[in-house]
Amino acid sequence: MKLVLSRKGFDAANGRFPSPILPLGQLCSLPIPDAHPERQKNLRRYAEVQAGDVSLGQLAADLTRGRILPETPTHLDPDLNAASVPRLPGWRPVFGQSGAAESHLQRQGVGPGDIFLFYGWFREVEMVNGRFRYVPNAPDWHVLFGWLQVERRIPLTAVADIPPWAADHPHCQRRQPLNPDSLYIAREKLDLPGLDLPGGGVFPQFHKGLRLTDPDSQQRRRWRLPAWFHPANRPSALSYHGRANRWKTADQFVYLRTVGRGQEFVLDSDHYPEAEDWLRTLFTDSISYHLARKQGSHPAP
């Protein structure tokens, strides 16, 4: 099994503001605005997409101070939350990738059974006088917000293979697909023993296990990971991170200085068998934390 750490949502180049950790802890990855006129008329607007009972139109407009408006077309990808927009029968979570990032995934052999863990740039927000704003002095973090375990990859040149419920995906709106350009369709159920979860979805609320950034660092690109991520004495490393000087071990953690560019970082769990237990803990802790929050046992972050 390959594990793919995939950077998505608003970043310094697209959107230019952090995605919000809402006041009750809900993670809301803001999809980037779509800048391609040829497909904008067929794309959803931020105002059409929901995060629980909150419109992404309001979130984007408030947090960007009007730079992105509710009627701006959005590149809703990865599309992981069944409740965010109306769905056709048979819908499953789906993710599209193209160009150099898709070429990297194919070179790494990513395909059926492999798991994407999506992360992005997040900061806590609050509601003041009916508008969302970032909590003053709140830190910037890279945070995991969702997952997708691949059932199949569909090259977008194979138009007949695209399910009807995926036809409105942004990658299906191009007149001419890029080369390469693919859709990754989620499994119906996550294939990890002991878990009964869908093959793709969003983590319901923030907790510290989802935070990649070292909490003691001012740089969100400096991650704190379990010590087993270190590539020493392994046949491979997290892709793009093979240089030894990017890794530093201290106590039970390893600290990684991540590369500045790149969307998809691939880890081969055949070389890192600890990855499966880490994934299982990630999911079970998220379920436990969410249930405790609903019962009032945990404060908001």
Side-chain angles (χ1 to χ4, degrees):
M1 181 185 71
K2 306 290 196 317
L3 176 63
V4 186
L5 297 174
S6 179
R7 179 175 56 84
K8 295 295 174 285
F10 274 22
D11 59 21
N14 298 284
R16 302 186 179 182
F17 288 83
S19 289
I21 303 173
L22 295 172
L24 294 179
Q26 182 184 1
L27 289 165
C28 177
S29 174
L30 290 174
I32 63 174
D34 197 291
H36 295 272
E38 70 177 55
R39 63 189 184 203
Q40 285 182 352
K41 66 179 181 179
N42 297 320
L43 295 179
R44 299 185 186 276
R45 275 42 183 170
Y46 283 92
E48 299 177 67
V49 186
Q50 292 290 122
D53 58 358
V54 179
S55 165
L56 264 58
Q58 180 185 4
L59 280 168
D62 287 355
L63 296 176
T64 68
R65 300 189 291 276
R67 291 174 175 83
I68 294 176
L69 299 173
E71 60 268 24
T72 300
T74 178
H75 190 90
L76 184 58
D77 184 36
D79 189 5
L80 304 173
N81 186 353
S84 63
V85 298
R87 304 296 187 183
L88 291 176
W91 180 87
R92 291 190 192 177
V94 59
F95 164 57
Q97 190 53 281
S98 60
E102 172 61 9
S103 294
H104 180 66
L105 292 175
Q106 292 189 27
R107 286 195 302 271
Q108 295 290 318
V110 173
D114 297 334
I115 296 179
F116 286 88
L117 285 179
F118 298 104
Y119 74 92
W121 174 22
F122 282 84
R123 186 186 298 172
E124 294 173 64
V125 305
E126 60 188 359
M127 177 75 81
V128 177
N129 297 325
R131 297 176 66 88
F132 288 101
R133 73 172 191 185
Y134 296 106
V135 173
N137 301 315
D140 293 301
W141 291 327
H142 278 155
V143 176
L144 298 169
F145 67 86
W147 75 94
L148 184 150
Q149 187 172 32
V150 180
E151 178 182 83
R152 56 182 170 138
R153 179 180 70 85
I154 303 175
L156 284 178
T157 51
V159 177
D161 294 337
I162 298 172
W165 51 260
D168 63 351
H169 188 276
H171 281 241
C172 298
Q173 304 307 313
R174 296 186 176 109
R175 293 194 186 99
Q176 184 66 37
L178 299 179
N179 186 21
D181 199 346
S182 301
L183 290 182
Y184 291 85
I185 307 296
R187 291 175 52 93
E188 183 176 2
K189 291 289 186 179
L190 186 68
D191 184 19
L192 277 178
L195 294 175
D196 183 17
L197 291 170
V202 292
F203 295 110
Q205 286 171 308
F206 173 80
H207 63 88
K208 65 181 182 180
L210 299 174
R211 182 181 57 212
L212 296 171
T213 298
D214 174 10
D216 297 322
S217 176
Q218 299 299 311
Q219 298 179 338
R220 64 180 178 274
R221 285 174 47 203
R222 187 176 189 263
W223 291 1
R224 189 180 76 178
L225 300 168
W228 60 262
F229 266 90
H230 198 295
N233 302 315
R234 308 273 190 169
S236 66
L238 183 68
S239 63
Y240 293 119
H241 296 88
R243 288 170 48 187
N245 63 0
R246 290 194 173 276
W247 302 85
K248 181 180 179 181
T249 301
D251 301 321
Q252 73 270 39
F253 298 110
V254 65
Y255 297 86
L256 171 63
R257 180 169 51 86
T258 60
V259 298
R261 299 294 292 176
Q263 296 183 43
E264 317 289 350
F265 307 149
V266 183
L267 190 77
D268 189 340
S269 69
D270 287 345
H271 303 158
Y272 295 80
E274 303 93 335
E276 185 170 323
D277 283 342
W278 179 71
L279 279 171
R280 189 177 293 104
T281 298
L282 193 70
F283 285 112
T284 55
D285 284 356
S286 293
I287 294 167
S288 298
Y289 188 89
H290 180 54
L291 291 175
R293 281 294 313 280
K294 288 178 67 175
Q295 297 166 4
S297 302
H298 279 292

